[in-house]
Amino acid sequence: MKKTLNILLAGSLIFASCSKDFLDSAPTEQLSTDQIEEAGKQDPNVLNGYITGLYATMYTTFTALPADEDHDDFGQKGYDIYMDMLASDMVLTGLNYGWYSNVVRYIATTDYTRAEASKPWNYYYKIIMSANSAMDAIGGSEVEIPADQKDARFVMGQAKAMRAYAYFYLANLYAPEYGSGNDKILPIYTNTDQPNQPLSTTKEVYDLIISDLETAVEYLNGFNRTGKHQINKYVAEGLLAYALGARGTQADWQKVATLTNDIITNGGFPLTTKSQSAAVLDGQGLVVNGDGGFNNIATPSWMWGVDLTLASNLDLVSWWGQVDYWSYSYAAAGDPKAIDKGLYAKIPANDVRKGQFDADELMPINKFYTPEREAMGQRQIVTDYLYMRVDEMVLLNAEANANIGNEAAGIASLKKLLDLRLDNTSYLSTLSGQRLKDEIYLQTRIELWGEGKSYLALKRNKATVTRGENHLYFAGQSFKYNADQLTFPIPQVEIQNNPQIN
């Protein structure tokens, strides 16, 4: 691709500015517990509608700091970008507009006054508050719901899974590691009536995450969801596998192997195919495979995501508006997002994933794209958001088996995926011990580039990342997984407003 992407957006792209440092602790769109309880008594469908609203928060813009309307504030996919950049696998190669500059410079992770330090905090605690509200409306999160009350169990299971999802990401973003489990990291809220809470230990936070997800797996057994935006049993198992892997005991890894095997064997999600992995171009540069682009919720390998339509009301302020060259985006207008050059160099030439990236600027123009593939073409976002796909579970299964010493099973899982990516995978049979673990970690970074999972893998593997030469800041420097630069501090506004954590 020619280096001629400095396109002005007719005033629609605005320069990033400092956001106000405050917490929207009582958002006006939040229904009170009393309102939900009363509505639930009158109409059983109200609770299902409230859960739908909870999922909508995951892709709604300006959920963290509504008054600021920052263009990196658009739910889960916004923090996927934060994490990919913190892990250094995603490179911000231009600064025309400045979004994410404080993230890639590690200012946001070393200065607790920065707005970027508070955005994930606010977003995930909003999810927690909404999940707790739904649970309060059916008796509270501690109530045990009989098996014959299926509708209530399905609501409770989804709400618990969403609360666990939020605490899991908070625990990763705001704590350097699980460690001994004794470090105090986050306040825990399990209902909407609790006053400010003190910091709980890592162990207490993970105990809640795992307990919530175990209940979710049980309660969602038999739940036939109406769309992939909803969490079903297999998505809950996937979240549980991630949480157990982050804690990382031998018993945890054994459970991860079991959970991921259930998803792979019984979930009904085939692996992402070679054709779906990257655009195939003819001699005129036109796409000849119609199933690529990571843009369609109907892709069979997608376990969890959302079907975006014009009614979703997303445009420039979106993941596609930040990363995708083929959308009306910052990526096309002077703030390109690219793969780390060192990581790109590790992708073999015979790997289909090498072709996901432009060979000059290393932008992901052949991994993520709109079907039309017209530069700056998609103005209103209708390409979908991906949260989880089965390929992650195959890699986690390989990682789990490698960690419990079942190397043959680990190699078999890795081979199952790589047979769809590489021409020759015979080298896998030579791997064992740490070399096998390192290969699984590398393949996780390559396979899931741009999907928000590299940061989680970095911490699980207790790895050190070295920035490639195409980074604007700290090129060539190395950062260990638990370095201060890779973990957000508790935001200033929380310290000011919650006397229990001082």
Side-chain angles (χ1 to χ4, degrees), residues 37-109:
E37 286 178 344
E38 185 60 31
K41 292 173 184 176
Q42 297 175 17
D43 183 354
N45 292 323
V46 167
L47 286 176
N48 287 323
Y50 191 72
I51 291 292
T52 299
L54 183 57
Y55 290 130
T57 305
M58 295 182 69
Y59 62 86
T60 301
T61 57
F62 316 131
T63 52
L65 293 176
D68 291 346
E69 296 193 353
D70 287 344
H71 287 202
D72 60 349
D73 183 359
F74 44 85
Q76 177 58 42
K77 297 304 291 183
Y79 306 116
D80 283 352
I81 296 174
Y82 273 37
M83 290 185 289
D84 282 337
M85 288 184 171
L86 289 179
S88 296
D89 283 354
M90 180 179 284
V91 182
L92 179 64
T93 62
L95 288 174
N96 280 17
Y97 302 95
W99 300 110
Y100 304 103
S101 62
N102 288 328
V103 176
V104 298
R105 290 189 292 165
Y106 292 141
I107 292 174
T109 48

Side-chain angles (χ1 to χ4, degrees), residues 258-270:
T258 300
L259 288 163
T260 52
N261 185 66
D262 184 47
I263 296 167
I264 296 163
T265 304
N266 301 312
F269 306 103

Side-chain angles (χ1 to χ4, degrees), residues 101-416:
S101 62
N102 288 328
V103 176
V104 298
R105 290 189 292 165
Y106 292 141
I107 292 174
T109 48
T110 54
D111 181 354
Y112 78 140
T113 70
R114 300 303 309 181
E116 294 89 349
S118 66
K119 287 175 188 174
W121 185 276
N122 292 3
Y123 164 74
Y124 288 112
Y125 271 109
K126 180 173 282 190
I127 292 286
I128 289 164
M129 170 65 98
S130 296
N132 282 339
S133 295
M135 287 185 269
D136 285 352
I138 48 178
S141 63
E142 301 304 315
V143 68
E144 293 188 13
I145 303 176
D148 60 347
Q149 296 183 20
K150 292 186 180 298
D151 288 343
R153 282 168 72 94
F154 294 159
V155 170
M156 180 69 81
Q158 291 174 82
K160 285 209 167 193
M162 286 295 289
R163 183 171 72 181
Y165 140 81
Y167 272 121
F168 172 71
Y169 276 99
L170 283 169
N172 276 273
L173 287 165
Y174 290 91
E177 59 185 322
Y178 185 88
S180 66
N182 295 322
D183 292 334
K184 295 185 176 181
I185 59 168
L186 300 170
I188 287 178
Y189 297 94
T190 56
N191 63 70
T192 56
D193 295 325
Q194 289 172 285
N196 287 329
Q197 292 296 299
L199 298 179
S200 293
T201 64
T202 315
K203 180 181 184 303
E204 291 166 336
V205 172
Y206 270 87
D207 284 350
L208 176 64
I209 294 168
I210 292 166
S211 174
D212 274 356
L213 288 169
E214 288 175 340
T215 300
V217 170
E218 177 189 352
Y219 280 13
L220 293 174
N221 189 31
F223 173 54
N224 294 314
R225 58 185 178 177
T226 59
K228 288 185 180 179
H229 64 282
Q230 297 172 317
I231 294 177
N232 65 3
K233 171 194 170 185
Y234 296 110
V235 174
E237 286 186 334
L239 291 169
L240 179 55
Y242 271 120
L244 291 167
R247 191 168 64 178
T249 68
Q250 284 292 293
D252 288 334
W253 280 119
Q254 182 61 64
K255 291 178 183 177
V256 173
T258 300
L259 288 163
T260 52
N261 185 66
D262 184 47
I263 296 167
I264 296 163
T265 304
N266 301 312
F269 306 103
L271 286 169
T272 303
T273 66
K274 185 175 184 178
S275 177
Q276 291 162 351
S277 297
V280 178
L281 308 178
D282 64 15
Q284 286 73 46
L286 300 176
V287 175
V288 297
N289 58 325
D291 54 356
F294 289 85
N295 55 33
N296 191 346
I297 192 72
T299 305
S301 62
W302 288 26
M303 296 173 58
W304 191 25
V306 61
D307 181 10
L308 296 179
T309 67
L310 290 175
S312 306
N313 198 31
L314 294 182
D315 47 35
L316 176 66
V317 186
S318 64
W319 184 91
W320 291 94
Q322 285 288 358
V323 177
D324 178 39
Y325 172 76
W326 305 105
S327 294
Y328 184 74
S329 68
Y330 288 101
D335 285 9
K337 285 47 172 206
I339 187 174
D340 175 271
K341 193 169 185 178
L343 179 59
Y344 178 76
K346 293 179 180 178
I347 306 176
N350 68 343
D351 190 326
V352 66
R353 297 168 300 182
K354 192 86 167 183
Q356 292 176 337
F357 305 93
D358 168 66
D360 295 323
E361 296 188 356
L362 306 186
M363 293 174 63
I365 60 170
N366 293 325
K367 179 172 183 178
F368 305 111
Y369 54 87
T370 64
E372 298 78 14
R373 284 179 65 89
E374 177 186 347
M376 301 285 282
Q378 180 181 217
R379 298 291 293 264
Q380 301 299 314
I381 303 300
V382 294
T383 44
D384 300 331
Y385 277 171
L386 168 62
Y387 301 141
M388 183 187 292
R389 57 186 171 107
V390 74
D391 312 80
E392 301 170 38
M393 299 299 112
V394 172
L395 287 161
L396 264 179
N397 183 268
E399 188 176 336
N401 279 301
N403 274 284
I404 60 177
N406 191 356
E407 294 184 343
I411 291 171
S413 287
L414 190 57
K415 188 176 188 305
K416 182 185 302 183

